[in-house]
Amino acid sequence: QVQLVESGGGLVQPGGSLRLSCAGSGSILSRYAMGWYRQAPGKERELVAGITFGGTTHYADAVKGRFTISRDNAKNMVPLQMSSLKPEDTAVYYCYAGPAITSTPPISGYWGQGTQVTVSS
C-alpha cells in the first residue's frame, strides 16, 4: 500500500512560482513511476509532468520550460517546481504513483488527496 500526501499549494500572482511536494509512505516509491496531474473546475484530470523510476521526465506541452519534476528516492519525495505561473494553471494538483505515466489518468496506481493552486492577481 502506498500513501501520498501533497503540500505546497496556495495563491500566487501571475508570473510567480510555487513548489509542490509529494511525500510517500508505506512502500518504496523508487519502484514506481511518479507524476503530477491537475484538474481544473469543469475539466478532466490531465497530466502535468511525470518521471519514471529511471529518472526520465515527461511534460505536458502547456508547462514545458516552466515546470520541473524531480524525485528523491531516498526521502520518498517528488517535488514539482512551478515557475512563470499563469491563471490557466489554476487547478487541484494530484500526486500519482504507479506502473506508468500516461497522458490520461492511469486506471491503476495510487493518488494523493490533491492540493489547490490558484494563480490570480
Side-chain angles (χ1 to χ4, degrees):
Q1 188 70 18
V2 173
Q3 295 83 42
L4 303 172
V5 178
E6 304 95 337
S7 62
L11 173 65
V12 63
Q13 292 186 344
S17 298
L18 276 178
R19 182 177 176 88
L20 305 183
S21 189
C22 174
S25 62
S27 185
I28 300 175
L29 290 186
S30 61
R31 298 174 179 172
Y32 300 100
M34 302 291 299
W36 286 91
Y37 290 76
R38 67 186 181 187
Q39 188 166 17
K43 295 188 177 181
E44 296 184 350
R45 194 172 296 188
E46 63 179 6
L47 174 67
V48 176
I51 184 166
T52 68
F53 56 81
T56 301
T57 56
H58 305 271
Y59 296 95
D61 289 343
V63 306
K64 282 181 181 177
R66 300 188 297 121
F67 291 11
T68 302
I69 189 171
S70 59
R71 65 189 300 162
D72 185 335
N73 291 333
K75 295 181 178 180
N76 266 0
M77 295 191 71
V78 181
L80 179 70
Q81 180 67 45
M82 306 186 296
S83 303
S84 301
L85 283 161
K86 305 175 181 180
E88 50 264 42
D89 294 318
T90 296
V92 178
Y93 284 69
Y94 297 91
C95 182
Y96 165 83
I101 299 297
T102 56
S103 57
T104 55
I107 296 174
S108 62
Y110 304 93
W111 294 93
Q113 292 300 306
T115 185
Q116 176 70 46
V117 172
T118 302
V119 184
S120 176
S121 55

